[in-house]
């Protein structure tokens, strides 16, 4: 549908009135005669026209990519090329531990791997696991990743969580909590599970084998992109929140896990995406702007317009890794503290009563 809509716009731009003509000439025909309408209205069959459209689209994309790679922003980063045989699934979660990126990947044979990319040496490694990786979540400490996995795609009973050591590249522990959609572990060994139960999102803590409900959302409200911060004795979980009954209905919330108190850090009327994190900062994008939100103090800052093209950002105290919308074939990285890099690219700092867009 997405391609078809762009193709329809291209036809109309090529010959104004083309869509109206196609509707008129094909409205009384049985299915299968649309090609005749294309010839009558545009002089060529739809296969030929689509081939021309496809060629132009590819040429325009290649031109945009080339121009972007020559920009000052792109040149300020180191670049790692992704091979055409690489199929990293960044939507399943990409994590940065020290100087290495960890992302789920499926190869041409549909085999599931954990792909490791060394930003310093620019080397890649594929780690084969006996489980299907569904998502990759960060741990709050140590060199550990949390993997949601299953041995079979459709078996709810086989869903479980793996603690994966980035030091040994091995699974060191399995956690059974199949109902948890998200899971995080704290320094003291307690576990935070986020569950969807009877149309309600709930946040539970498991400590010494006992589960306790900490916080729940209103029924039918939706939670996205949760992340946990544990620093200086404080523990927070933050997430994107959508409630179709509320106005504005897009919010970014922070919940104090010790007091159970929640606080709205950002609101938007039209749209809201979480496109990255580094330290205590979260990157939020609306239809018009991009913002950095500090989870610890609630401060929100505008970022420079040139950063609107960020598709995803991940960073730590040593490295900043960025994926740009205009160049999906490369990973961009810079050896710099991510929070410092964000601060250097921030504009006006907004007060809490000014963060609604």
């Amino acid at each position: 549908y997405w391609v078809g809509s762009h193709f329809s716009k291209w036809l109309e731009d090529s010959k104004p009135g083309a869509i109206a003509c196609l509707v008129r000439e094909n409205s009384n025909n049985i299915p299968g005669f649309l090609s005749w309408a294309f010839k009558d209205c545009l002089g060529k069959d739809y296969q030929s026209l689509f081939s021309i459209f496809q060629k132009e689209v590819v040429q325009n994309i290649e031109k945009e990519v080339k121009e972007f790679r020559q920009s000052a922003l792109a040149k300020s980063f180191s670049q790692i090329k992704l091979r055409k045989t690489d199929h990293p699934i960044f939507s399943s979660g990409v994590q940065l531990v020290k100087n290495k990126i960890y992302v789920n990947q499926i190869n041409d044979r549909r085999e599931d791997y954990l792909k490791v990319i060394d930003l310093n040496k620019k080397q890649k490694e594929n780690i084969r696991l006996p489980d299907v990786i569904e998502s990759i979540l960060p741990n709050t400490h140590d060199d550990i990743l949390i993997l949601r996995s299953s041995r079979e795609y459709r078996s709810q009973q086989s869903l479980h969580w793996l603690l994966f050591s980035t030091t040994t590249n091995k699974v060191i522990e399995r956690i059974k909590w199949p109902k948890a959609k998200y899971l995080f572990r704290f320094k003291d060994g307690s576990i935070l599970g986020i569950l969807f139960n009877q149309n309600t999102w709930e946040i539970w803590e498991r400590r010494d084998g006992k589960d306790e409900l900490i916080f729940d959302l209103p029924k039918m409200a939706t939670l996205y992109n949760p992340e946990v911060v544990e620093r200086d004795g404080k523990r927070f979980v933050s997430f994107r929140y959508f409630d179709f009954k509320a106005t504005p209905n897009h919010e970014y919330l922070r919940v104090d896990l010790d007091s159970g108190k929640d606080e709205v850090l950002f609101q938007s009327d039209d749209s809201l995406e979480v496109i990255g994190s580094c330290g205590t900062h979260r990157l939020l994008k609306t239809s018009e702007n991009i913002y950095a939100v500090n989870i610890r103090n609630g401060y929100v800052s505008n970022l420079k317009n040139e950063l609107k093209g960020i598709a995803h950002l991940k960073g730590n105290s040593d490295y900043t890794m960025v994926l740009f919308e205009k160049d999906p074939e490369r990973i961009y990285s810079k050896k710099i503290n991510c929070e410092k890099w964000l601060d250097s690219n921030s504009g006006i700092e907004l007060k809490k009563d000014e963060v609604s867009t």
Side-chain angles (χ1 to χ4, degrees):
Y1 290 108
W2 181 80
V3 174
S5 66
H6 282 272
F7 179 50
S8 297
K9 184 179 184 303
W10 178 82
L11 292 173
E12 187 67 20
D13 291 342
S14 301
K15 186 177 180 179
I19 300 302
C21 180
L22 288 171
V23 173
R24 183 177 62 252
E25 293 300 318
N26 190 63
S27 60
N28 293 325
N29 290 334
I30 62 173
F33 289 89
L34 182 61
S35 185
W36 291 1
F38 269 88
K39 290 179 180 178
D40 292 340
C41 295
L42 293 148
K44 294 180 180 179
D45 61 73
Y46 66 85
Q47 291 98 333
S48 299
L49 289 166
F50 188 81
S51 295
I52 298 171
F53 160 75
Q54 189 177 35
K55 184 177 180 180
E56 286 189 13
V57 168
V58 171
Q59 288 176 341
N60 289 336
I61 291 175
E62 290 175 345
K63 180 181 178 183
E64 287 184 0
V65 169
K66 185 176 181 180
E67 290 176 350
F68 174 75
R69 289 176 181 172
Q70 296 301 315
S71 67
L73 177 61
K75 288 184 175 181
S76 68
F77 288 86
S78 297
Q79 302 174 22
I80 299 177
K81 297 180 181 179
L82 295 173
R83 299 191 302 265
K84 291 185 178 180
T85 54
D86 291 338
H87 303 286
I89 308 174
F90 291 107
S91 59
S92 296
V94 53
Q95 302 301 333
L96 177 63
V97 179
K98 294 181 179 178
N99 61 309
K100 293 182 179 180
I101 297 172
Y102 295 81
V103 62
N104 187 20
Q105 173 176 307
I106 296 179
N107 63 18
D108 290 336
R109 296 186 297 275
R110 307 300 298 170
E111 295 172 329
D112 202 73
Y113 289 90
L114 188 62
K115 189 174 192 68
V116 184
I117 303 174
D118 190 316
L119 296 178
N120 187 22
K121 299 179 181 179
K122 296 187 177 181
Q123 295 176 345
K124 304 171 188 176
E125 178 185 1
N126 292 331
I127 301 174
R128 189 79 168 95
L129 295 176
D131 304 72
V132 174
I133 302 170
E134 296 190 354
S135 60
I136 305 175
L137 297 172
N139 196 33
T140 59
H141 67 289
D142 299 333
D143 301 329
I144 295 175
L145 297 176
I146 299 177
L147 311 179
R148 178 178 166 90
S149 64
S150 65
R151 295 187 182 275
E152 298 177 8
Y153 278 108
R154 298 183 180 179
S155 175
Q156 178 68 25
Q157 295 300 320
S158 68
L159 292 175
H160 54 281
W161 298 89
L162 309 177
L163 296 188
F164 178 86
S165 169
T166 59
T167 304
T168 62
N169 286 341
K170 293 181 179 180
V171 174
I172 59 173
E173 186 180 344
R174 292 176 181 267
I175 299 174
K176 291 184 178 181
W177 203 340
K179 290 186 178 180
K181 303 296 183 182
Y182 304 94
L183 187 139
F184 303 91
R185 193 182 71 158
F186 296 107
K187 293 179 180 179
D188 61 4
S190 61
I191 299 171
L192 190 78
I194 301 179
L195 291 67
F196 188 65
N197 182 31
Q198 297 181 349
N199 297 321
T200 302
W201 283 97
E202 300 174 340
I203 300 176
W204 290 74
E205 183 172 18
R206 176 175 291 178
R207 185 185 295 273
D208 299 326
K210 297 180 180 180
D211 296 348
E212 178 185 359
L213 178 64
I214 296 178
F215 185 81
D216 58 356
L217 295 177
K219 283 186 178 295
M220 305 305 293
T222 309
L223 172 154
Y224 303 94
N225 312 107
E227 290 196 55
V228 167
V229 171
E230 182 180 21
R231 188 175 292 184
D232 300 332
K234 295 287 187 178
R235 305 184 310 159
F236 299 100
V237 61
S238 61
F239 50 86
R240 179 166 66 95
Y241 170 78
F242 175 76
D243 187 348
F244 68 92
K245 303 184 298 297
T247 302
N249 49 26
H250 297 274
E251 295 181 334
Y252 195 77
L253 269 65
R254 176 184 68 184
V255 176
D256 186 318
L257 293 172
D258 297 308
S259 68
K261 180 183 177 182
D262 65 295
E263 183 177 3
V264 177
L265 301 183
F266 192 91
Q267 294 179 317
S268 177
D269 287 315
D270 54 2
S271 65
L272 184 63
E273 293 180 81
V274 181
I275 60 169
S277 65
C278 69
T280 60
H281 288 67
R282 302 292 178 265
L283 240 63
L284 307 182
K285 181 187 267 187
T286 65
S287 60
E288 296 182 355
N289 293 302
I290 184 169
Y291 303 89
V293 178
N294 191 319
I295 302 304
R296 294 180 67 191
N297 55 32
Y299 292 155
V300 179
S301 300
N302 280 316
L303 296 184
K304 294 179 179 179
N305 286 335
E306 64 179 0
L307 300 182
K308 289 181 180 179
I310 291 178
H312 191 80
L313 177 143
K314 191 68 67 173
N316 54 31
S317 59
D318 298 317
Y319 278 89
T320 299
M321 184 278 296
V322 182
L323 304 175
F324 288 103
E325 294 175 351
K326 289 188 176 181
D327 195 358
E329 296 179 349
R330 295 190 180 186
I331 293 174
Y332 289 77
S333 67
K334 181 179 293 192
K335 193 171 184 180
I336 185 174
N337 181 294
C338 184
E339 292 182 327
K340 289 183 178 179
W341 182 78
L342 282 178
D343 290 340
S344 67
N345 285 280
S346 296
I348 301 173
E349 188 172 276
L350 306 176
K351 297 178 181 179
K352 289 186 179 181
D353 57 354
E354 298 174 334
V355 299
S356 182
T357 66

